[in-house]
Amino acid sequence: MILQSDKPKEECAIFGIYNSKEAANFTYLGLYSMQHRGQESSGIVTTDGSHLYRYANMGLVANIFTQPKIKELIGDSAIGHNRYSTTGASFLRNAQPIRVESHLGPVALAHNGNLVNSWDIRNRLERDGSIFQTTIDSEVIVHLMAKSHKTDLLEALCESLGQVRGAYSLLVLTPRYLIAVRDPNGFRPLVMGKRSDGAIVFASETCAFDITETEYVRDVEPGEMVVIDHTGMRSLYPFPKAKPSLCIFEYIYFARPDSYIFEESVYKVRKSLGRQLARVMPVEADVIIPVPDSANIAALGYSEESGIPYQSGLVRSHYIGRTFIEPDQKIRDFGAKIKYNVVKEVVNGKRVVIIDDSVMRGTTSRKIIKMIRNAGAKEIHFRVSAPPTVSPCYYGIDIPTHKELIASTHSIDEIQKYLRVDSLAYLTLDTMHKAVEGHKGGGFCDACFTSNYPVEFQDHAGNQKSLFTEYATEE
Amino acid sequence: MILQSDKPKEECAIFGIYNSKEAANFTYLGLYSMQHRGQESSGIVTTDGSHLYRYANMGLVANIFTQPKIKELIGDSAIGHNRYSTTGASFLRNAQPIRVESHLGPVALAHNGNLVNSWDIRNRLERDGSIFQTTIDSEVIVHLMAKSHKTDLLEALCESLGQVRGAYSLLVLTPRYLIAVRDPNGFRPLVMGKRSDGAIVFASETCAFDITETEYVRDVEPGEMVVIDHTGMRSLYPFPKAKPSLCIFEYIYFARPDSYIFEESVYKVRKSLGRQLARVMPVEADVIIPVPDSANIAALGYSEESGIPYQSGLVRSHYIGRTFIEPDQKIRDFGAKIKYNVVKEVVNGKRVVIIDDSVMRGTTSRKIIKMIRNAGAKEIHFRVSAPPTVSPCYYGIDIPTHKELIASTHSIDEIQKYLRVDSLAYLTLDTMHKAVEGHKGGGFCDACFTSNYPVEFQDHAGNQKSLFTEYATEE
Amino acid sequence: MILQSDKPKEECAIFGIYNSKEAANFTYLGLYSMQHRGQESSGIVTTDGSHLYRYANMGLVANIFTQPKIKELIGDSAIGHNRYSTTGASFLRNAQPIRVESHLGPVALAHNGNLVNSWDIRNRLERDGSIFQTTIDSEVIVHLMAKSHKTDLLEALCESLGQVRGAYSLLVLTPRYLIAVRDPNGFRPLVMGKRSDGAIVFASETCAFDITETEYVRDVEPGEMVVIDHTGMRSLYPFPKAKPSLCIFEYIYFARPDSYIFEESVYKVRKSLGRQLARVMPVEADVIIPVPDSANIAALGYSEESGIPYQSGLVRSHYIGRTFIEPDQKIRDFGAKIKYNVVKEVVNGKRVVIIDDSVMRGTTSRKIIKMIRNAGAKEIHFRVSAPPTVSPCYYGIDIPTHKELIASTHSIDEIQKYLRVDSLAYLTLDTMHKAVEGHKGGGFCDACFTSNYPVEFQDHAGNQKSLFTEYATEE
Amino acid sequence: MILQSDKPKEECAIFGIYNSKEAANFTYLGLYSMQHRGQESSGIVTTDGSHLYRYANMGLVANIFTQPKIKELIGDSAIGHNRYSTTGASFLRNAQPIRVESHLGPVALAHNGNLVNSWDIRNRLERDGSIFQTTIDSEVIVHLMAKSHKTDLLEALCESLGQVRGAYSLLVLTPRYLIAVRDPNGFRPLVMGKRSDGAIVFASETCAFDITETEYVRDVEPGEMVVIDHTGMRSLYPFPKAKPSLCIFEYIYFARPDSYIFEESVYKVRKSLGRQLARVMPVEADVIIPVPDSANIAALGYSEESGIPYQSGLVRSHYIGRTFIEPDQKIRDFGAKIKYNVVKEVVNGKRVVIIDDSVMRGTTSRKIIKMIRNAGAKEIHFRVSAPPTVSPCYYGIDIPTHKELIASTHSIDEIQKYLRVDSLAYLTLDTMHKAVEGHKGGGFCDACFTSNYPVEFQDHAGNQKSLFTEYATEE
């Protein structure tokens, strides 16, 4: 069986560095530290001021990049990308950074986020004679640049970005420039730092700064374009201002707890979510256990607030491959057992509170609950450190469709029955926002909980056909 | 750089199953669940009653075994092995299970533990004309069997085992028999279970039973030989009785917390060690943080006993490969940073207690402590949930030599200075034993803490030369 | 050392089949039989009437295509391509058939020959916003189609081909059409045949018909476009008529002797060239030996005409890889020795005539001659079954530059001295043409011997820079 | 389909070199030049006077050995081996040279030929406690040495070889010695040479001397053991004298025409066989065509003697892989077509004489004949430059069993009918021997034509069971 996670998937991590003797090596380390944001493919493009050098492959950062590959990626500026595919099929051709040659010279691009009008633009461009190389949304940005009559690259980039809508934290590398841009709503994070040797660094999360000994300076702001070349660094705001719509799911689930994003500690917010949950959804019980590892911090918050002891009642395997060979004699809850095992000692005869950070389809949760019940739990109370997820995301997170989201089609009572728990409760929308109250960055996007989408989107379901029938070995 | 752990390494996991339609598939799952006991190579041998079928390769279980490979491993009995090399070079030729053809017919063998007189025997056998295929200690067992004049396999096996000394939890597979043996001291664990379809299962730990839906029945006892064939199951005790010497390090570090070994819950013992530590080595502090993941449970015990809150102050990466490309501009504490990152939010301005389960060389501990100090910790207290490790193990654990073990050559004060902590304390020997007090299984081996070796060993350092210069790709 | 041949290289083979239940399998066999025309990469595109399915890889046909791959290439029409790179770097991305998606739908294209104005067109298209995927000349054809305002694919193809100049034997596959086109000069061969089950087949040479049990019908004529779809087969002549300029080097060296191309047997023409050579350049000698295998047939002709016995005095190895590890103690004539060895028995004490079909740089010839001299030959007479090669080819053959071509910069006498032979003679231009006299197909291109280029070419040396710095593993 | 040749297979090539700075590199080149004697696996063992270094793999020499591998094979003496399996399954474990460690220290061995009593010895050794590593006959030699009570390696080797019977051209390498031995009958060739830098070289054929710039000195004589160490070179004759029984098939088919073996030119003997055939089995015809490439030289002999012109009427592909994907619509004579194609121009309307060197099952011959008939041949006369092959070989050539050999079970008339030729004739036994008349080396083994076996053999058909069920990927 192919192992499927019941968690939403982040689409990617981006990393960029300007003016470092070991640009490729630092990019490799930065990407390694952000592997949790995309495990499908990775790539690095460097420049020595004349050419662009690229290497990308399917797989994990630590396996793809070897010493000789890093050595071949010469030059003192670089951008890198970890990909999990939200748009476009899962093939090497779709690995980022994209690199193309056009009348503007060579350009490379690493993109985190999703454009909502890329299929319209793509269809228009194809009608006009463009031939696309990939099936990912980001490619329209370079085609729009190639089509631009602007001969200045920055102008062409601004013109191009002026036509796309949606979420983009973007790094652009040319022989001259390293450019970092965040869309006007600022959906996805993008932090900026500085190394003691003067190198400027960009990354999706600050955990990439820790491993590269970079000091966190500030976020690239929503709508800001930071341009670096040999003349120095400039900050531009070329787009109309928009309402900040930072992705709150980054705090709830995606980002590493040791990162700072949107200018706040992920650990702090995540624990605060757990505390809020304990306040509004208390329960009498003997033990708190998280669904590891993503719910650990929220569970600690719940435990502290409630006084009920926290235990590691579920052990998670870290040796997981993509597929598993299931016996013909079906093993109950096989998919969950491959990943989790219950510590009987912890739950046997106990009233157990399970903390999870989100529930999508509910299938894995149900299996975990059954395993805990079979291990002898007397009562099981399920608590979710976020509101019910009712709508998909069009800005770069792979959340299932309405039809698949259990909270979109079922009441809390029905979900409780489906999960077979003694009680079930979610965080309320208000208390979730309380956990980020006073947040300097301002507004958040909570569309997956409310269906209030800050940027209108095209229903591209119908268009998102695979362009080609492709073979994995092909490229 | 090659990433080196400062933790002792377990040499292997073994798994066996008799009378199951999907013997190979269950063995694969069992090995997968015990991947923590050996990540270098894995192998499975099956039998259909006439032939033995073998497949082994370097790497992780989830990567090595594919559906077609499993299908080729026909038959309804099987044994499997995960290897981390304690003796013998790291080559495919040394992967277990060993399978040989001799006058006794085909025999396969999976061995967990270390023999202490294998080099003597090997030298004697070579002088007598034997040609060895591997450089692992286990091979002497099959050579002694091949040399035996007994024509009965069981007698030949007993005669062979009568000549070796040391630690062995052993599974032997022939077209007729599945045999499970544990050495008279019972150094290494070996559990026995039963599936509802009647299959008999053996494994190093019970976590392998959970994934294969096997009910835990009992341990194979020290000195016991369990023999299964078409006539049924027999239990023999062919060796002179010896003092039980169960490896206490299995509880402290190796075994999975969700396993039962030596007839007790690992989680329970591990937490008890943490509680004992809090009692005898208390400290005033703001926060308890474990070195994840192995010290998590002991830290929970320490936290519960002391009342000081437990926090996940260190984040551990699970995307680690075998080697990492370090920049020429050295990154401080690179080796530790690849694996761990500090959550600044948790430790900044705090008095921190770090809980670890053991300290070998102390190098990684020192780096972690420095990272926590740099993140703003006000005080750092280091607590170890075991006594100082002062001696190597000759029974199957890869503990560094006396020279390398910091506690073997330095006083507690000196270690505290080296680690640069505000206080340092270990669990005492007595309180460690208290944590397993009343243990049904009886005595434990604590040689690594006391240098009291239950079985005399040959100083084979001088003999442990590599026999051949071998190339990794060769076989 | 990388082994370099001193022979010109053919750029490719193409194969197409319409209306066959096993289109992919027959294409695979056809490509296999034309492996001599390109050994760098191969690819097949099939269609089931709705989609295009593609697989391409670096390496030999017999290694690349496996049963599962062939099975995945579903549909009853297919085109295939063997590539040796004349334009564009040697990367998988450049493997043909090219397949793109544009407003005309999916289109695949396999091209043999070289365009002479592709760089001009490419630069124009890039200035206009096109982004190219490969560095091969053939890609401009699909970009011109994509840019066309014609909505009918045939019209767009004609419009596109109306803009390119040079050599193209072309197969185009869409869900509806299989189209075969030969440029107005007919530089490169393209034969058409029919299988007994009704399938229509196209190939570069008839040897591909023998293995696929196809009956040779006729050549696609210079300037002809054959269009097949469900309504039947049509023949169009959409281009202005031009003087036929069939590549005479196909007869001299490239094509297999068992093939018919340009409506004549290659074996017959090649032998006739040998006979002519014996007539105009006779010599007294004891033995005729060819440089195997390409000069074998001409040598037989020379032997028959002269009465001097033909012997296999040089043995050629067929186990050659791309690179060879040379000892530090240099072996004399290593590059030649890896490929050829002398049969001492044949040449010792003899007056030897060596027959070769062409001399480019002369370096390998010189080494072979030295080896034969060392084996005891009394006299060595070198005869070439073609005129001196003085100019490069711009229509699809990889002939060295003027500077490298020994006959371009040296007189016959000087070459004789360089080769250290007792006599040296080439076929004259007139007698070469006599060997193809009365040829139904009409005129030949002999530009490599005369510098009379039938189609004006752009000196693209300056433009033929590599677009990107690419890594072999990348794609 | 798996492509099967209807030719007998040679089991191997051996190469050895003593006292050369680039021992591994020269061995690699020597093995490369003798690739025709074994294409399944290759290996090299070197010594620096202390250790043995080994690398072996499945596949062709030019693909297996890379620069880094050659560099790792340090030391100034080496032996190498190309294997085609006659005994033992086709797995890497069976690749030679064998290398073992015993009480005599490390020993490596490369063996060409077949032992006829190895299974008896093996069974005896296994009963006595030996465990074999491979399933090849050569391994008994090292086990007998390991079992020997002689502490001197040479004495142990002589004692071991004194117990085996059959064919062996053997190279033995230890940190001290390079030893070359040929069995008393001298079945298989073994030549000795010297490089100008003083290195001593051994090889199966002299073609290996040409590429390594080695001067051919003499053959290792039947029954001779040449021993080289730092004290110099000695020649021993430790075995009882036997009747020379050189393999005549080496001249007929196996050896390269540019080699000298048994102190005579292969080309000369092979051509003489063709001349004899023309004398005793003449025919009126228009054209002589060989089955390429092995029958080329005999065909030249036949042509010269008969005056009928020689033509290359069959083209042979050299891009052949191990398997081919056949369409479901069967292609007539597919197996032969993958390898051969007819030049219609040569045979159409002609009376054709086909020359082949041997016929085993006759299946491929029949297909080739049919292809030539379909190409328009008026008459087909089949001539074989050897007598009918009626018996298998037990000395190292893989000739089919009696049951499969068409000449063993059918009369010449019946074969002619089966092949559908207008006439069929073989060389007579007497005239075959005439072609090697006055041969210095003395007697030949012609058992495959006469069933007169010079050394009694064990019918090991029954014993030649595969010992293990093995998987190709295992080792």
Side-chain angles (χ1 to χ4, degrees), chain C residues 114-119 165-167 394-395 455-458 460:
Chain C
N114 243 41
L115 306 181
V116 297
N117 65 336
S118 66
W119 283 90
R165 289 199 324 276
Y394 297 102
Y395 312 123
V455 171
E456 204 182 320
F457 59 91
Q458 163 194 23
H460 56 131

Side-chain angles (χ1 to χ4, degrees), chain B residues 340-355:
Chain B
Y340 302 106
N341 197 19
V342 181
V343 183
K344 205 180 167 181
E345 192 62 25
V346 168
V347 302
N348 192 13
K350 302 280 174 53
R351 293 170 303 168
V352 176
V353 183
I354 307 174
I355 307 292

Side-chain angles (χ1 to χ4, degrees), chain A residues 22 267 271 304 311 328, chain B residues 22 267 271 304 311 328:
Chain A
E22 297 179 274
Y267 192 99
K271 203 159 137 197
E304 285 181 25
Q311 297 288 352
D328 293 333
Chain B
E22 296 178 275
Y267 193 98
K271 204 161 138 196
E304 284 181 24
Q311 297 286 354
D328 293 332

Side-chain angles (χ1 to χ4, degrees), chain C residues 413-465:
Chain C
D413 274 3
E414 289 169 336
I415 301 171
Q416 179 177 336
K417 260 179 214 153
Y418 172 76
L419 296 180
R420 301 185 193 167
V421 286
D422 299 288
S423 79
L424 165 68
Y426 287 87
L427 195 60
T428 61
L429 202 64
D430 282 356
T431 37
M432 175 184 78
H433 280 291
K434 235 178 227 169
V436 287
E437 211 167 35
H439 195 288
K440 186 187 145 194
F444 283 90
C445 173
D446 56 12
C448 52
F449 305 124
T450 61
S451 307
N452 296 328
Y453 292 100
V455 171
E456 204 182 320
F457 59 91
Q458 163 194 23
D459 182 7
H460 56 131
N463 298 313
Q464 216 172 13
K465 60 168 188 325

Side-chain angles (χ1 to χ4, degrees), chain C residues 280-307:
Chain C
V280 296
M281 300 298 172
V283 63
E284 285 218 353
D286 302 315
V287 65
I288 305 288
I289 67 172
V291 178
D293 293 336
S294 58
N296 287 2
I297 314 305
L300 282 172
Y302 197 103
S303 167
E304 283 181 25
E305 187 72 25
S306 66

